[in-house]
Amino acid sequence: MNSGISGVATPMAEIQETLDGLLCRIREAGEKQIGYPANQRIDYSPLFPFLDYSVNNIGDPFHASNYWANSHEFEQDTHYSVLKNVRVLNARYIMIKRQENGEIDYGDLRDMIRVNRDVPAVIMANVGTTMRGAVDNIPQIRHILDELLVSNAYIHADAALSGMILPFVPEPQAFGFDAGIDSISVSGHKLIGAPAPCGVVLTKRPHVERVGRAVEYVGVHDTTLSGSRSGIAPLMLWYALNRYGDDGLQDLVSGMLENAEYAVQQFNRHGLKAWRHRNSVTVVFPKPPREVFRKWQIAPEGTEAHIITMPHVTREMIDELVNDCTAPLELDPVTSEERD
Ligand SMILES: *Cc1c(COP(=O)(O)O)cnc(C)c1O
């Protein structure tokens, strides 16, 4: 497969061959994708015609723009970039310790806020950490701020995956604006399964108004940090949310949670100590032998690994993985290059 750029026009047949090869590889990889939070079970083909156009959402979606090929109406109520704003503005930062279960260490958080009273506290709370699916206790973080009489504070909830899970479970951990957050971000390519990376940031209107500027070139009132922004991304989100509906998402989430629990039980039944947090589809288990990583797309961390029971992850896949983790020698041995 030739994926380089030679500088001369390539015959279509050759381009097609290269694309077919890539598609084949991506399809195969998808069949062994069990460790990353990307939903692969949704058909986006109705959006194909939009790829013939440069749909660009430059500027604030709530104000008209001179560039008409946009999908701003599909973005409204949704807002990007608060996280970028916070990062850019916040030059000094402190990493807070975590507890063994992956949740923030509230004692350490309290100490750090107490000894840094001279600066505003901008807190990045996790609603579902990447490795262990832990959810920080937002009301408790608010309580610490109140107790220390910190008036200048901001809590951002990073809810990349769990932001689409917790609204659909019977007893969710508190993570919304009513629990004391100032903004929240949710990824579009995780549970929603968008085929290109995208996401949503929601915040309160006064936070947005502080960064707004008029930009004559594109005729927009700009509340964003970046220039061009995908106009296809909001269509992908809109399409998936409408296809599933709240009931569909609830079914999806309960199926995922049931499979996560199934995975925990299967691992444990085979003598591998596995666990997960409440309302989490991230199943943590002891890091398996290297051969297993060659067959499955799984993320390791130290002595652990995890799988994420996204909608395309079946019980058959879980059974096969558990089997591979307990009897890895039946797989092809690794080559010497792969050994390091
Ligand atoms: C995946 C993930 C991210 C990254 O989000 P992207 O939208 O993929 O950039 C951030 N935080 C958490 C907790 C995540 O799981």
Side-chain angles (χ1 to χ4, degrees), residues 37 83 87 125-131 133-134 158-162 185-190 197-200 282 308:
L83 188 55
R87 283 219 182 105
N126 269 290
V127 177
T129 59
T130 308
M131 292 309 294
D158 178 352
L161 172 62
S162 295
S185 51
V186 182
S187 301
H189 47 279
K190 291 191 171 174
C198 58
V200 170
T282 303
I308 303 182

Side-chain angles (χ1 to χ4, degrees), residues 13-326:
E14 205 175 303
I15 289 178
Q16 191 62 56
E17 193 187 322
T18 303
L19 293 176
D20 288 349
L22 177 64
L23 184 61
C24 186
R25 184 169 68 71
I26 288 172
R27 268 201 194 122
E28 273 176 22
E31 286 163 18
K32 295 288 177 252
Q33 204 285 81
I34 193 167
Y36 294 88
N39 178 5
Q40 298 181 155
R41 190 172 269 181
I42 175 162
D43 173 19
Y44 277 94
S45 55
L47 298 185
F48 286 174
F50 290 94
L51 298 184
D52 284 338
Y53 303 92
S54 179
V55 187
N56 190 323
N57 279 9
I58 190 163
D60 188 320
F62 291 91
H63 293 79
S65 154
N66 295 342
Y67 189 79
W68 289 355
N70 66 48
S71 63
H72 275 163
E73 64 269 37
F74 292 83
E75 269 191 338
Q76 290 167 5
D77 287 334
T78 60
H79 246 285
Y80 289 63
S81 347
V82 168
L83 188 55
K84 286 184 297 186
N85 280 273
V86 170
R87 283 219 182 105
V88 169
L89 294 172
N90 184 22
R92 223 174 104 194
Y93 72 94
I94 299 171
M95 205 92 89
I96 306 296
K97 286 185 197 142
R98 65 164 164 76
Q99 304 176 51
E100 180 62 29
N101 70 6
E103 208 175 317
I104 199 168
D105 182 325
Y106 302 97
D108 190 42
L109 178 68
R110 175 191 295 270
D111 291 346
M112 289 305 146
I113 293 172
R114 204 175 44 216
V115 300
N116 291 282
R117 297 192 66 105
D118 53 315
V119 289
V122 176
I123 298 165
M124 296 285 164
N126 269 290
V127 177
T129 59
T130 308
M131 292 309 294
R132 294 186 174 86
V135 177
D136 292 337
N137 187 328
I138 307 274
Q140 189 166 345
I141 294 173
R142 246 315 142 200
H143 182 69
I144 290 170
L145 292 166
D146 291 345
E147 241 181 19
L148 295 174
L149 302 173
V150 177
S151 55
N152 207 358
Y154 185 108
I155 302 179
H156 177 76
D158 178 352
L161 172 62
S162 295
M164 284 301 296
I165 293 178
L166 295 183
F168 303 105
V169 300
E171 288 177 37
Q173 292 90 329
F175 73 101
F177 288 96
D178 51 353
I181 63 161
D182 292 279
S183 57
I184 183 168
S185 51
V186 182
S187 301
H189 47 279
K190 291 191 171 174
L191 197 135
I192 298 171
C198 58
V200 170
V201 174
L202 288 175
T203 187
K204 297 173 175 174
R205 189 183 294 273
H207 294 320
V208 178
E209 282 167 357
R210 276 181 38 202
V211 297
R213 292 278 181 282
V215 181
E216 190 183 0
Y217 170 56
V218 280
V220 291
H221 176 75
D222 198 1
T223 48
T224 66
L225 277 190
S226 58
S228 295
R229 184 165 77 255
S230 171
I232 303 288
L235 283 186
M236 297 187 300
L237 301 180
W238 169 87
Y239 170 78
L241 292 177
N242 278 290
R243 280 287 289 158
Y244 281 121
D246 284 357
D247 289 350
L249 287 168
Q250 193 154 341
D251 288 348
L252 204 66
V253 165
S254 54
M256 290 163 68
L257 287 166
E258 280 165 21
N259 280 349
E261 188 50 35
Y262 175 80
V264 169
Q265 286 169 10
Q266 289 306 104
F267 274 117
N268 289 341
R269 183 167 299 162
H270 288 81
L272 292 170
K273 197 173 173 308
W275 59 276
R276 68 183 183 97
H277 281 284
R278 183 163 68 88
N279 294 331
S280 174
V281 294
T282 303
V283 175
V284 182
F285 60 100
K287 186 174 164 181
R290 229 175 272 228
E291 288 84 352
V292 175
F293 287 95
R294 220 171 74 124
K295 173 169 170 184
W296 299 97
Q297 288 188 64
I298 294 178
E301 190 199 47
T303 58
E304 290 176 345
H306 68 248
I307 61 166
I308 303 182
T309 53
M310 297 307 284
H312 65 277
V313 174
T314 60
R315 292 194 176 199
E316 289 70 37
M317 286 165 80
I318 293 168
D319 289 343
E320 196 177 329
L321 171 69
V322 171
N323 193 48
D324 291 342
C325 288
T326 46

